[in-house]
């Protein structure tokens, strides 16, 4: 009983640190492909209207972090933090990089610009050993006083974070959560059993399945357009209305499919444009949706009755 209570306490603390319904926000660009600070502020406030997201990730995968400079990343943290601070929204900065020193520098810059937490993906391309991944995580966690959410997405990084690595990382007092996009529910369940790490679904199609094994929230892409329904899904499940949560999950299936038919950043920006919200173009090597792809996405949005887009 003591362990169960401790786990509940740490999960609640993680939600206070990061939020529970979190959208990984795009980086809006203007027609020249330069960061649109005013658009970012407008979008951040739209995402955090009452009943929607209580957390925002900036400079993540959907934020095209591999295509933005360190200066642009720091500016995004500052801009979004200023836009939503009066709402109590948590701003989590993605600090992923292929080398540890770069990630540490990004973490320190994010902390100086007011970020509330860090999202730390396994270093990509080099495919380090599990010991190397652990040392990478610990070095970043040591570099600032901010809470850390680890991000496991092997289809992008080229290497999965093994359960034993999570167990070791969880001993660090600031490593408190995981964004899980591995797609391996058994592995995730073992980590939940062996640690107090709070799990957040990082794969929208698995939001409900991950809740069923102990996840406490979402870091979403589709939260750009249906953040209110994700909130309803989470509330329904946590309040024991499981059939209602299942119905919402099924209702959102066309959005899950539509947003990932093409690279997510391009799909989200097309969806935002269709709703009259800031997004703008993507940067190469991503390309915008074709007319046919856009029409299919708009049909998906219409099938789920996406809310009216009056920026809050």
């Amino acid at each position: 009983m003591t362990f169960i209570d401790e786990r509940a306490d740490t999960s609640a603390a993680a939600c206070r640190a990061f939020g529970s319904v979190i959208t990984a926000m795009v980086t809006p660009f203007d027609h020249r492909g330069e960061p649109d600070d005013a658009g970012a502020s407008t979008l951040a406030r739209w995402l955090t209207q009452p009943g929607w997201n209580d957390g925002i990730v900036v400079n993540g995968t959907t934020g095209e972090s591999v295509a933005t400079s360190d200066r642009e990343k720091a500016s995004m943290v500052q801009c979004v933090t200023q836009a939503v601070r009066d709402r109590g929204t948590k701003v989590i900065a993605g600090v992923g990089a292929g080398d540890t020193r770069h990630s540490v520098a990004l973490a320190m810059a994010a902390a100086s610009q007011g970020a509330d937490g860090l999202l730390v993906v396994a270093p990509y391309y080099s495919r380090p050993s599990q010991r190397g991944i652990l040392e990478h995580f610990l070095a970043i966690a040591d570099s600032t006083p901010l809470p850390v959410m680890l991000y496991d997405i092997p289809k992008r990084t080229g290497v999965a974070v093994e359960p034993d690595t999570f167990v070791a990382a969880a001993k660090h007092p600031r490593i408190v959560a995981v964004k899980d996009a591995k797609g391996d529910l058994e592995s995730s369940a073992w980590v939940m059993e062996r640690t107090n790490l709070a799990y957040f679904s990082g794969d929208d199609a698995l939001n409900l399945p991950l809740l069923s094994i102990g996840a406490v929230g979402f870091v979403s892409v589709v939260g750009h357009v249906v953040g209110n329904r994700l909130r309803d899904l989470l509330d329904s499940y946590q309040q024991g209305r499981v059939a209602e949560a299942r119905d919402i999950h099924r209702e959102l299936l066309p959005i899950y499919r539509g947003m990932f038919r093409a690279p997510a950043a391009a799909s989200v920006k097309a969806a935002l444009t269709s709703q009259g919200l800031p997004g703008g173009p993507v940067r190469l090597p991503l390309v915008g949706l074709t007319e046919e792809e856009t029409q299919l996405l708009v049909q998906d949005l219409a099938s789920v009755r996406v809310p009216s887009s009056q920026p809050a």
Side-chain angles (χ1 to χ4, degrees):
M1 181 64 70
T2 300
F3 183 69
I4 293 173
D5 289 344
E6 182 183 347
R7 179 175 293 164
D9 288 345
T10 55
S11 294
C15 289
R16 288 193 298 270
F18 299 110
S20 55
V21 178
I22 306 163
T23 285
M25 196 179 100
V26 297
T27 300
F29 297 131
D30 62 22
H31 68 281
R32 301 168 301 168
E34 296 300 316
D36 177 6
D37 288 347
S41 296
T42 297
L43 181 58
R45 292 184 69 82
W46 157 257
L47 293 175
T48 57
Q49 60 190 293
W52 280 56
N53 299 278
D54 52 2
I56 293 177
V57 169
V58 297
N59 302 328
T61 306
T62 314
E64 298 177 74
S65 59
V66 298
T68 57
S69 69
D70 291 2
R71 178 185 57 81
E72 289 170 338
K73 288 179 175 67
S75 179
M76 271 296 292
V77 173
Q78 182 181 48
C79 176
V80 172
T81 298
Q82 292 176 348
V84 301
R85 182 61 72 205
D86 63 333
R87 302 185 173 196
T89 302
K90 301 301 181 181
V91 178
I92 303 115
V95 296
D99 69 280
T100 304
R101 286 195 297 177
H102 191 187
S103 283
V104 165
L106 291 173
M108 295 174 67
S112 72
Q113 296 299 329
D116 298 293
L118 304 175
L119 181 66
V120 179
V121 73
Y124 40 80
Y125 189 72
S126 60
R127 300 185 67 183
S129 67
Q130 292 298 305
R131 185 163 64 90
I133 294 171
L134 176 61
E135 293 297 327
H136 176 81
F137 290 158
L138 296 179
I140 297 166
D142 282 339
S143 69
T144 83
L146 298 179
V148 172
M149 179 186 294
L150 304 181
Y151 184 11
D152 192 15
I153 184 165
K155 63 185 176 183
R156 289 189 181 276
T157 63
V159 61
V161 183
E162 298 296 335
D164 286 347
T165 305
F166 279 123
V167 172
K171 297 176 183 177
H172 194 290
R174 285 188 290 278
I175 296 178
V176 296
V178 176
K179 177 185 176 183
D180 183 15
K182 184 184 290 181
D184 184 344
L185 296 181
E186 181 181 5
S187 176
S188 300
W190 275 113
V191 177
M192 293 181 206
E193 172 64 20
R194 298 173 62 195
T195 74
N196 288 335
L197 291 170
Y199 261 65
F200 292 77
S201 172
D203 184 343
D204 279 305
L206 294 181
N207 285 345
L208 182 58
L210 274 161
L211 287 180
S212 76
I213 63 169
V216 300
F218 318 129
V219 180
S220 174
V221 170
V222 305
H224 282 91
V225 292
V226 287
N228 59 330
R229 296 304 281 155
L230 294 183
R231 173 66 62 191
D232 292 343
L233 192 161
L234 181 62
D235 288 348
S236 296
Y237 186 86
Q238 292 182 336
Q239 294 167 14
R241 304 193 307 274
V242 177
E244 183 178 325
R246 179 200 62 208
D247 291 345
I248 297 170
H249 174 75
R250 292 176 178 174
E251 169 197 330
L252 295 177
L253 287 173
I255 296 286
Y256 297 159
R257 176 188 61 199
M259 282 292 198
F260 294 98
R261 190 179 288 118
S267 296
V268 169
K269 288 189 170 184
L272 293 173
T273 297
S274 77
Q275 293 290 300
L277 288 163
V282 290
R283 283 181 174 173
L284 287 170
L286 296 184
V287 294
L289 269 58
T290 65
E291 182 176 346
E292 180 181 1
E293 289 170 333
T294 300
Q295 289 176 349
L296 285 172
L297 180 58
V298 169
Q299 291 171 10
D300 293 326
L301 298 174
S303 72
V304 183
R305 303 185 302 279
V306 168
S308 173
S309 57
Q310 295 300 318

